[in-house]
Amino acid sequence: MIEILPAPEYVAAFRISGTLRGEDYDALIPEIEAKLEHNEHIGVLADMTEFDHMTAGAVQRDLAYALSKLGEYHRFKRAAVIADKRWIETTTRLADKLFPQLEARVFHAGELEEAMRWVAGFRSD
């Protein structure tokens, strides 16, 4: 399940909990696209502390959307991921290394405000 979180107009923020399904991307993708439509650069925050797993349909939608944005990755400045699962932390750190134009950072449960300040902070850097 995806819940859209309140955030500055240039940050797409989500809480992902339980099982992520393909149809959850019907809320996630338009939110990101709306932020990109109105801002040259955006940050993304994902609170995944209550995330369990993804269905095959969700994996497919995620990969398809990621591939469709290949030419626009420079527009994603920061990604804050709130998680306590080691594999999510590892994946986030790997993304930070693989995509040099994107700063990705892991936060832990209870650090939503700190994560939001950091992900939004690229505008004041």
Side-chain angles (χ1 to χ4, degrees):
M1 181 176 125
I2 292 185
E3 173 189 353
I4 297 170
L5 300 175
E9 87 268 350
Y10 56 93
V11 174
F14 308 94
R15 178 171 291 118
I16 303 168
S17 59
T19 300
L20 188 61
R21 302 182 189 290
E23 57 268 18
D24 290 324
Y25 283 80
D26 294 341
L28 186 141
I29 292 171
E31 180 72 9
I32 294 172
E33 289 300 311
K35 301 289 182 173
L36 288 169
E37 184 178 330
H38 294 91
N39 300 279
E40 180 60 28
H41 300 103
I42 68 167
V44 177
L45 182 147
D47 181 348
M48 301 180 75
T49 53
E50 296 180 25
F51 172 71
D52 290 325
H53 61 276
M54 299 172 77
T55 65
V59 171
Q60 181 181 17
R61 293 281 303 268
D62 191 74
L63 289 174
Y65 185 66
L67 289 173
S68 77
K69 297 315 247 181
L70 277 176
E72 294 185 69
Y73 278 6
H74 67 281
R75 297 184 66 195
F76 295 83
K77 290 301 184 186
R78 287 188 177 171
V81 178
I82 305 169
D84 291 322
K85 292 176 178 68
R86 171 121 13 245
W87 72 269
I88 296 173
E89 293 177 13
T90 300
T91 302
T92 302
R93 289 188 178 101
L94 181 61
D96 184 59
K97 303 260 187 271
L98 288 175
F99 304 102
Q101 70 281 6
L102 170 74
E103 288 182 82
R105 186 169 160 191
V106 175
F107 295 84
H108 297 282
E111 296 181 334
L112 176 61
E113 289 181 24
E114 181 182 345
M116 187 67 74
R117 274 193 303 277
W118 179 80
V119 77
F122 75 85
R123 282 239 175 137
S124 62
D125 289 351

